[in-house]
Amino acid sequence: MIHNEMSRRRLLGLGVGLGAAATLTLAGCGGGDSSGPAAGGDGGKDYTGPKVDLKLWNGFTGGDGEIFKTLVNQFNSEHQNIAVSVATYQWEDYYNKLPSAASSGNGPDIAVMHMDQLATFAARGVISELDDVAKTLELTEADFAPTVWQGGLYNNKRYGIPLDMHPLGFYYNKSVMEKAGLDPNKPPTTRDDFTAALTELKKSGVQGFWISPFQFTGGMSFYSLIYQFGGSLFDAEVNKATFNADPAVEACTWMVDMIKQGHSPANVGQDAEYLALKSGKNAFTFNGIWQINDLKKSPDVQWGVAPLPQIGSKPAAWANSHNFTIVKQRANNANKVQASKVFINWLSQHSLDWGKGGQVPARKSVRESAEFKALTEVSALAPELDYAAFPPATPGLGEVIKTFYDSFNVAALGKKTPKQALDEGVAKANRQLEDNRKKYGS
């Protein structure tokens, strides 16, 4: 399966090897057991039972992982009767491994999951309902982007507690812009501005905007532009794929024309567009908010980040959200369930600290705080949440999204015209959607 943050760390050379899992036992872990009376079921407000060891799985293999481990260490130091150990996997390995691990009794107690995966794992009976946790945290839709809040629901039951939101951003190399006579402090915000800037860059010998044919990041850029041009990937009920409609063809054609017009090389390698930005070979790239901390590690690179320029008729940007879930166990342990809810509550209340890992906190109250606004680069992308294009919360959608990205790959590599590639992709996607309705129900 291909997922919305698949391999982003591996592709940058920052993650663990494919198929391998890096397991880290953090401070406070001990050999406690689950004997003794069960703790009260108060939705995670407190845990007073015997010491328990909890396993937590996630895919934070880059700089955000270090922030996450620090937070878990802090939690362990503050909770002597709960010890959380963390296993970190590549996302694609993680999602493939989780169902069988859970059914065999070797899965985690807590799992971090992307919003677009929640419905699938809820439908498969892998994760548990968390309505009581939301109630304990006094969470309401008013404190979240509506799409993120609704994305945690399946059959009107909550399965995910939103931790963050991570949109695509517009990164620009100030030094390259300045050499081309552009104002390095005024990145383009409109299609006309963007086109004019690329023209000046081309005159100075720079191919300013490289188009990756892969999900990271050309596919996600195409995803964003479909919505900017007024289209969508699916109809409102997610019964039919619509990424071959006129807005999608127009968006795809615009991107392919970047290559034809010489603003991008052909056959750009995986992640080459980002590395080119860092090395001064191009000026602009659309990439995830998670790159902010990586760029901060390169003081010789003069860079900036801003919301995506509006190429179409309205603003839009791809985005996703990490959620906390509790994994169902073969033998239910009330103490572990309650302790897991305590951890989720605690992390949600420390989401500002998580924002330092390069993510936008899910809670509106945190995003509006002065402390978050002081995180200049991360907070610069927070306005995109008003028009973010989140993937729909529909079971079995992962393979359909993969088909969408594969269709773009065919067009970007020039193997077929945008219309031909997208028509073939939609035909396959519609068969997959029909299969999913049979498998999961309408």
Side-chain angles (χ1 to χ4, degrees):
M1 297 174 69
I2 290 185
H3 304 275
N4 281 332
E5 281 195 349
M6 189 194 80
S7 302
R8 61 183 171 87
R9 304 300 184 185
R10 172 175 59 82
L11 300 174
L12 291 175
L14 299 173
V16 295
L18 188 64
T23 304
L24 303 170
T25 302
L26 304 182
C29 293
D33 59 36
S34 58
S35 61
D42 60 0
K45 188 174 182 181
D46 194 18
Y47 176 70
T48 58
K51 186 174 183 180
V52 291
D53 296 321
L54 302 178
K55 293 185 291 183
L56 186 156
W57 285 13
N58 73 92
F60 302 133
T61 55
D64 48 5
E66 295 303 314
I67 297 291
F68 190 73
K69 286 184 286 183
T70 298
L71 288 169
V72 175
N73 273 320
Q74 182 181 342
F75 173 85
N76 284 335
S77 69
E78 295 177 8
H79 297 80
Q80 298 304 310
N81 57 347
I82 305 174
V84 180
S85 62
V86 177
T88 303
Y89 299 87
Q90 295 292 340
W91 284 114
E92 73 273 29
D93 294 335
Y94 172 97
Y95 287 125
N96 286 326
K97 182 181 179 70
L98 182 57
S100 59
S103 64
S104 67
N106 296 313
D109 301 287
I110 307 167
V112 179
M113 196 169 289
H114 290 95
M115 185 182 75
D116 59 330
Q117 298 297 324
L118 293 173
T120 300
F121 282 91
R124 296 179 69 175
V126 176
I127 55 179
S128 300
E129 297 174 13
L130 294 175
D131 288 304
D132 59 336
V133 177
K135 183 177 180 180
T136 296
L137 279 169
E138 299 180 346
L139 302 180
T140 66
E141 184 172 339
D143 198 30
F144 294 87
T147 310
V148 170
W149 181 253
Q150 294 297 324
L153 299 175
Y154 177 69
N155 286 344
N156 296 316
K157 296 290 185 180
R158 177 154 299 281
Y159 286 88
I161 301 298
L163 174 62
D164 63 45
M165 294 173 280
H166 39 278
L168 213 62
F170 179 50
Y171 294 87
Y172 51 98
N173 187 308
K174 294 183 177 182
S175 299
V176 176
M177 290 178 67
E178 194 168 23
K179 289 178 183 177
L182 302 172
D183 188 336
N185 297 310
K186 291 185 178 180
T189 60
T190 68
R191 181 171 181 167
D192 287 345
D193 290 344
F194 195 73
T195 301
L198 291 177
T199 299
E200 294 305 311
L201 287 161
K202 190 175 180 181
K203 289 178 182 177
S204 69
V206 174
Q207 292 178 296
F209 184 53
W210 292 21
I211 300 297
S212 163
F214 302 101
Q215 175 183 351
F216 288 86
T217 55
M220 293 192 299
S221 301
F222 176 43
Y223 188 119
S224 303
L225 292 180
I226 287 178
Y227 287 87
Q228 285 201 10
F229 279 86
S232 62
L233 267 65
F234 308 100
D235 63 11
E237 295 76 27
V238 199
N239 287 327
K240 296 291 183 181
T242 57
F243 57 82
N244 66 336
D246 289 347
V249 174
E250 186 179 2
C252 190
T253 300
W254 183 86
M255 295 188 71
V256 171
D257 284 348
M258 290 292 103
I259 302 170
K260 292 181 177 179
Q261 294 167 6
H263 300 304
S264 169
N267 303 325
V268 171
Q270 180 67 74
D271 218 51
E273 77 284 5
Y274 175 67
L275 298 177
L277 181 92
K278 292 178 68 176
S279 62
K281 294 180 181 178
N282 70 16
F284 307 131
T285 188
F286 294 2
N287 214 303
I289 193 172
W290 51 81
Q291 301 292 23
I292 287 174
N293 280 354
D294 180 65
L295 283 164
K296 285 184 175 180
K297 297 176 183 177
S298 302
D300 55 320
V301 181
Q302 300 301 308
W303 62 280
V305 64
L308 298 187
Q310 185 177 322
I311 306 301
S313 60
K314 62 181 182 178
W318 172 94
N320 210 326
S321 168
H322 294 115
N323 279 243
F324 278 120
T325 69
I326 291 180
V327 179
K328 289 184 178 179
Q329 306 296 328
R330 293 178 64 184
N332 186 53
N333 184 314
N335 286 322
K336 285 195 171 187
V337 171
Q338 178 66 9
S340 296
K341 293 176 180 178
V342 168
F343 174 82
I344 292 173
N345 285 348
W346 186 92
L347 219 299
S348 178
Q349 292 161 0
H350 288 75
S351 60
L352 175 65
D353 296 319
W354 177 236
K356 297 174 184 176
Q359 313 282 346
V360 178
R363 302 182 73 164
K364 181 180 178 182
S365 56
V366 178
R367 295 197 306 273
E368 292 180 346
S369 69
E371 292 85 355
F372 174 68
K373 292 177 181 178
L375 302 175
T376 308
E377 295 87 1
V378 175
S379 63
L381 297 185
E384 289 186 317
L385 302 178
D386 291 337
Y387 48 79
F390 289 94
T394 303
L397 204 63
E399 287 297 328
V400 189
I401 295 290
K402 178 183 183 300
T403 296
F404 163 75
Y405 287 126
D406 288 347
S407 300
F408 173 74
N409 181 274
V410 170
L413 291 175
K415 295 179 179 179
K416 294 184 179 178
T417 68
K419 180 62 174 173
Q420 290 172 332
L422 299 180
D423 279 346
E424 291 183 9
V426 162
K428 180 178 180 180
N430 284 334
R431 293 192 296 270
Q432 292 172 316
L433 289 170
E434 178 62 26
D435 290 342
N436 284 341
R437 284 193 291 275
K438 295 175 181 177
K439 183 175 182 179
Y440 299 107
S442 58

